[in-house]
Amino acid sequence: MSDVLELNRPVSSSAVTASQAPDTGTALRFITCGSVDDGKSTLIGRLLVDSRAVLQDHLAGVTKQTHDGDQVDLARLTDGLAAEREQGITIDVAWRYFSTEARKFIIGDAPGHEQYTRNMVTAASQADAAVVLVDATKLPWAREGGPAQDSDALLPQTRRHSLLAHLLRVPSIVFAVNKLDALPDAAGAFARISAALTRFTQEAGIQAVATVPMSALKGWNVVGPRADEPGWAGYQGPALLELLETLPVTGEAQASLAFPVQWVETPQSGDSDTARGRRVLWGRVAAGELTAGSQVQVLPSGQRAVVAEVINHVRQPGAVLAGHSAGLKLDRELDISRGDWVIAAPAPVADDSFDEPTPSYAVTRELQAVVAWLDDDALTPGRVYWALHGHRWIKARVKRVVHQLNINTLAREESHDLPANAIGRVELTLQDGIPAVPYAESRHLGALILVDSATNRTAAAVLVA
């Protein structure tokens, strides 16, 4: 049965309608993840309702009359997302938008089922923060005599999603212990679960921002603290939304320029103006800022040039920041095609130096990488897949599996292959060289996707080690 709430609950004073929300700069993009039925849809519904980001007709459609008054089914507010998952979306996730007086948010509902782990990986790779929900009613410490600090008792999907968010370098990870309103001793259960989460994160090297006790159904510690019981569950910190309002966004705009070429627009024939007729390289700025006058290097060729002009998606000239589409013209014609990268050129060498400038990134065909295996068929050495790096498709052969990570013990175990939803380290050989760098240095140049060449299914998320 779906969760419901009373409509007459006071709305937070900080909540405003989306249309009234001021432009507060870059929005925080975050996902909710965790196991099935941990309350992710209810939490999203609560945030949308309390921030008044739900249209009246949509709200009316999920509201029913009871003897206690009108009640809205929170989980049904995200039916659109659930329907998209049922249609077999594998590499994309639907996002919803809402605002408060403090900032704007983009929220994605990552599926809890193991077979939809690929959706969670896709969403996490774009997120500034991850809220990992933990259902307190499913864990043994909800009962008398349960283990006090047994992190192994955490649900596998809680551990898997936390590890994936950590591996994907989601900047902020928050644990939200949900459904504590259903337990007679909320403070005791929260203390035990917090201890287990602390032990797990320390063993895994995960730095969590906070662990927040809450009831998404009742709204306790979601937008604000429980009104009739401050310090509920022994917690004195900020509510979840208050915490999200303070988290940083990914600093891609401050990073070094990385621009994957998606399309090369050729000049119209018969145009005698060389400058106007110069080719335009189109794509979305992955990191940094694209400005005229910048010295850049094209990879994998290593050719250098100066950016002559930058235009935005409506062809207006001007600088373009990370996350936005842009077209650029170089001061010279180079051999550039779809799949190449335009990056910030390395520092120039002195005129009297005999040394060549050090390339920004080495081009390589051999990769050591951490793999989140998403296909139903196991990864086996010797198999060849299509690999997508930026906008370049190349073939990749699996040389060997170095080890598999046991998500329960966090031990690195010897393995010949990787089954579905496993995480492990592998060696890959690529058909051509790419400017791959460790994922820890770049979330864009250090990430690939493997696709099964026979079924066209997304098989793995690859993070260069």
Side-chain angles (χ1 to χ4, degrees):
M1 179 179 295
S2 301
D3 295 333
V4 294
L5 89 162
E6 297 178 358
L7 259 181
N8 57 2
R9 179 186 178 280
V11 176
S12 166
S13 60
S14 66
V16 296
T17 63
S19 60
Q20 295 172 329
D23 184 356
T24 52
T26 305
L28 181 80
R29 181 185 291 259
F30 72 98
I31 61 169
T32 58
C33 50
S35 298
V36 179
D37 294 332
D38 277 357
K40 297 185 292 298
S41 297
T42 301
L43 173 61
I44 294 176
R46 166 64 68 185
L47 291 170
L48 295 178
V49 169
D50 282 8
S51 61
R52 300 179 181 173
V54 182
L55 298 175
Q56 287 298 321
D57 57 345
H58 191 188
L59 196 60
V62 297
T63 302
K64 63 180 180 180
Q65 291 184 339
T66 70
H67 64 280
D68 293 327
D70 289 344
Q71 293 183 329
V72 58
D73 188 337
L74 285 173
R76 287 186 59 194
L77 287 170
T78 58
D79 278 352
L81 302 182
E84 291 204 36
R85 293 198 298 272
E86 292 168 2
Q87 292 171 18
I89 294 175
T90 56
I91 58 174
D92 202 359
V93 169
W95 300 84
R96 299 291 294 267
Y97 303 83
F98 70 97
S99 304
T100 67
E101 293 176 347
R103 80 181 322 169
K104 296 183 291 187
F105 296 95
I106 306 173
I107 181 171
D109 183 14
H113 292 84
E114 278 194 18
Q115 61 266 38
Y116 292 122
T117 300
R118 57 174 64 86
N119 300 59
M120 182 271 169
V121 170
T122 303
S125 68
Q126 309 168 43
D128 301 306
V131 178
V132 183
L133 274 87
V134 179
D135 186 344
T137 64
K138 296 178 182 175
L139 303 179
W141 31 68
R143 301 189 298 269
E144 289 294 330
Q149 295 186 352
D150 187 359
S151 61
D152 291 346
L154 294 172
L155 297 180
Q157 202 67 335
T158 301
R159 302 168 65 88
R160 179 178 287 106
H161 280 189
S162 302
L163 287 169
L164 287 171
H166 171 62
L167 291 172
L168 291 163
R169 298 184 64 78
V170 177
S172 301
I173 299 175
V174 178
F175 289 102
V177 183
N178 193 23
K179 303 185 183 181
L180 285 169
D181 59 297
L183 303 182
D185 181 12
F190 176 65
R192 293 181 177 183
I193 294 171
S194 295
L197 288 169
T198 298
R199 180 178 174 182
F200 164 63
T201 53
Q202 288 177 345
E203 292 173 344
I206 299 172
Q207 292 186 340
V209 173
T211 301
V212 181
M214 71 176 195
S215 167
L217 177 63
K218 304 292 185 181
W220 300 341
N221 280 343
V222 177
V223 172
R226 181 175 175 176
D228 60 345
E229 188 180 333
W232 172 70
Y235 178 75
Q236 302 291 340
L240 179 64
L241 186 59
E242 295 171 336
L243 188 64
L244 293 172
E245 288 177 338
T246 66
L247 297 182
V249 298
T250 305
E252 298 293 354
Q254 289 73 43
S256 182
L257 173 66
F259 178 79
V261 178
Q262 185 174 7
W263 175 49
V264 180
E265 178 185 334
T266 56
Q268 295 180 356
S269 60
D271 194 333
S272 58
D273 188 331
T274 304
R276 190 168 61 240
R278 192 163 287 146
R279 296 187 303 167
V280 182
L281 312 177
W282 286 97
R284 175 176 291 183
V285 182
E289 182 178 9
L290 195 55
T291 57
S294 301
Q295 295 196 21
V296 296
Q297 187 173 37
V298 180
L299 296 177
S301 67
Q303 304 167 98
R304 288 165 165 264
V306 175
V307 177
E309 183 181 7
V310 178
I311 54 178
N312 63 16
H313 65 289
V314 292
R315 291 184 176 272
Q316 292 180 336
V320 177
L321 287 170
H324 300 276
S325 297
L328 74 148
K329 298 178 182 177
L330 301 178
D331 66 336
R332 68 201 68 180
E333 290 291 3
L334 301 176
D335 182 12
I336 300 175
S337 60
R338 174 185 169 88
D340 287 349
W341 287 82
V342 177
I343 63 170
V349 298
D351 293 339
D352 57 353
S353 173
F354 295 100
D355 298 328
E356 291 291 331
T358 302
S360 297
Y361 302 115
V363 176
T364 180
R365 294 180 55 222
E366 303 291 330
L367 295 181
Q368 286 257 358
V370 174
V371 167
W373 191 249
L374 310 172
D375 201 358
D376 295 333
D377 299 330
L379 174 149
T380 55
R383 281 206 59 179
V384 176
Y385 296 88
W386 280 110
L388 177 62
H389 181 247
H391 296 294
R392 181 180 298 282
W393 287 97
I394 51 178
K395 288 188 175 179
R397 182 187 301 278
V398 180
K399 287 181 63 178
R400 74 182 183 101
V401 176
V402 179
H403 63 247
Q404 179 179 343
L405 180 67
N406 185 320
I407 66 168
N408 294 314
T409 65
L410 300 178
R412 298 175 178 178
E413 300 175 345
E414 290 189 10
S415 179
H416 178 71
D417 54 21
L418 292 181
N421 298 309
I423 300 172
R425 191 183 181 101
V426 302
E427 292 178 354
L428 300 173
T429 298
L430 306 179
Q431 185 180 32
D432 298 309
I434 61 172
V437 299
Y439 188 80
E441 297 179 15
S442 171
R443 294 178 77 177
H444 305 281
L445 287 158
L448 298 89
I449 293 173
L450 292 186
V451 176
D452 190 301
S453 56
T455 64
N456 289 328
R457 288 200 301 260
T458 302
V462 180
L463 314 176
V464 179

